[in-house]
Amino acid sequence: MTTQAAIDKIAWIHIVDGRVLGARSKGKDTYYFPGGKREAGESDEETLVREIEEELSVRITTDSIQYYGTFEAQADGKPAGVMVRMTCYCGEFTGKLQSAAEIEECVWLTYQDRERVSAVSQIIFDHLLEQNLISK
């Protein structure tokens, strides 16, 4: 039996006043952290900057990027056993946050919204709460 590699994603954790930025794609009900899959040859930082600019119309300031953590869980909407590995970064940005590309809306989430996010995002929510970074 072969094991499938985890889906590799990069995510941006952006917290303001105890709330974390979430995004929802067009036609979906689940919220997730902005970001996405890397393109061939891209570093984590390059993926983060490109994805956030595509999805939210802002530019991450590269010298402010800080690693937050890597989390793994069952991939949303995929067969059992297909995992997603989300490497998360924090960082400042320039520009005005607004939905773009496939993103229908951006929202500010608290821990009460935990059931509205993907499985891997729920693990990250737990981590953010343990560190008192988001409100209950």
Side-chain angles (χ1 to χ4, degrees), residues 2-134:
T2 60
T3 52
Q4 185 174 341
I7 297 168
D8 176 35
K9 293 188 111 176
I10 304 298
W12 183 38
I13 307 294
H14 184 61
I15 301 166
V16 175
D17 297 330
R19 298 176 304 154
V20 64
L21 185 65
R24 183 177 59 78
S25 294
K26 292 176 181 159
K28 305 278 184 168
D29 295 326
T30 304
Y31 290 90
Y32 64 93
F33 295 108
K37 297 176 189 169
R38 80 179 75 239
E39 292 179 354
E42 275 186 330
S43 69
D44 285 7
E45 291 81 6
E46 290 166 337
T47 303
L48 183 70
V49 169
R50 178 184 51 76
E51 283 286 343
I52 300 309
E53 194 163 8
E54 286 174 7
E55 293 183 356
L56 302 175
S57 304
V58 298
R59 184 137 183 102
I60 300 288
T61 310
T62 54
D63 62 1
S64 74
I65 296 173
Q66 293 185 314
Y67 175 75
Y68 178 74
T70 301
F71 305 87
E72 194 167 311
Q74 169 66 39
D76 230 28
K78 301 288 184 190
V82 177
M83 305 298 281
V84 62
R85 180 179 305 113
M86 195 170 295
T87 305
C88 302
Y89 293 88
C90 300
E92 299 303 314
F93 68 92
T94 57
K96 181 180 182 226
L97 284 170
Q98 57 188 23
S99 303
E102 75 272 13
I103 304 304
E104 185 157 343
E105 76 172 324
C106 298
V107 293
W108 293 101
L109 304 170
T110 67
Y111 194 75
Q112 290 182 359
D113 298 302
R114 183 181 182 274
E115 297 304 314
R116 300 168 68 195
V117 302
S118 68
V120 71
S121 296
Q122 289 182 5
I123 294 169
I124 298 165
F125 264 62
D126 293 344
H127 198 262
L128 292 168
L129 184 68
E130 285 168 17
Q131 293 186 316
N132 295 314
L133 295 173
I134 60 171

